[in-house]
Amino acid sequence: MLWVWVMFSSLDLVRRNVNRAVSDDMLADLGADTDDYNTGQTIYLVAFLAAELPGGLVSKKVGPFRYTPAVICLWGSLCAAQVAMRARWSFWLLRGLLGVAQGGFIPEMVSPVPFPLQVFVSSFFFWGFANARARSDSLPLVLLQDK
């Protein structure tokens, strides 16, 4: 369960990472504005929600021990590819791909847990304690001090 918490925290950090980039003039670098950013976030959320069921089904088919590392490596690669963004279309494309890559992760982590009490406890654990927002909000203070 501890390893699931670590992976879920990394998912949360990745989801919120774009907020840090926006505070560091990412929109100006892309030639985009707030509307373009909101469109990118909407694309991400729609792709994330649309990929949850298929991602869970693929995980059931190939097994979580193969699917989880593959998905984590895929979204890590997509996050690294954000360095190459030069226009708003590339921001939208990468946000959509990240949403699809991350979509099946949550049902995949909850599905092996037996029902019903452990699902409640694990969901409470994920959404109650696994929120990495406090850590991710203070991370830019350390990383952006040199600017």
Side-chain angles (χ1 to χ4, degrees):
M1 191 67 147
L2 178 64
W3 184 243
V4 172
W5 179 80
V6 169
M7 291 188 297
F8 192 80
S9 295
S10 72
L11 171 74
D12 198 46
L13 283 170
V14 168
R15 274 198 273 181
R16 299 181 196 288
N17 190 35
V18 72
N19 299 340
R20 305 326 164 245
V22 168
S23 67
D24 195 31
D25 297 329
M26 180 189 80
L27 294 178
D29 294 342
L30 296 177
D33 59 10
T34 308
D35 291 336
D36 297 328
Y37 170 75
N38 291 336
T39 301
Q41 289 299 88
T42 303
I43 290 169
Y44 171 81
L45 290 173
V46 168
F48 187 92
L49 291 174
E52 279 195 349
L53 180 62
L57 294 174
V58 170
S59 173
K60 288 278 190 191
K61 182 78 172 168
V62 301
F65 294 110
R66 285 187 223 147
Y67 185 72
T68 304
V71 168
I72 290 175
C73 290
L74 178 62
W75 88 52
S77 300
L78 289 170
C79 287
Q82 292 182 51
V83 172
M85 290 188 309
R86 298 289 179 251
R88 67 181 177 185
W89 67 266
S90 59
F91 172 67
W92 292 341
L93 176 69
L94 284 170
R95 293 309 291 169
L97 291 174
L98 268 171
V100 169
Q102 294 174 347
F105 184 74
I106 294 171
E108 172 193 347
M109 289 296 108
V110 175
S111 66
V113 178
F115 287 94
L117 180 61
Q118 288 183 334
V119 169
F120 172 75
V121 171
S122 64
S123 297
F124 176 78
F125 179 74
F126 284 153
W127 299 112
F129 296 115
N131 189 352
R133 183 171 230 169
R135 289 184 310 284
S136 65
D137 284 345
S138 60
L139 193 59
L141 296 175
V142 175
L143 296 177
L144 296 176
Q145 280 184 355
D146 294 336
K147 280 198 150 203

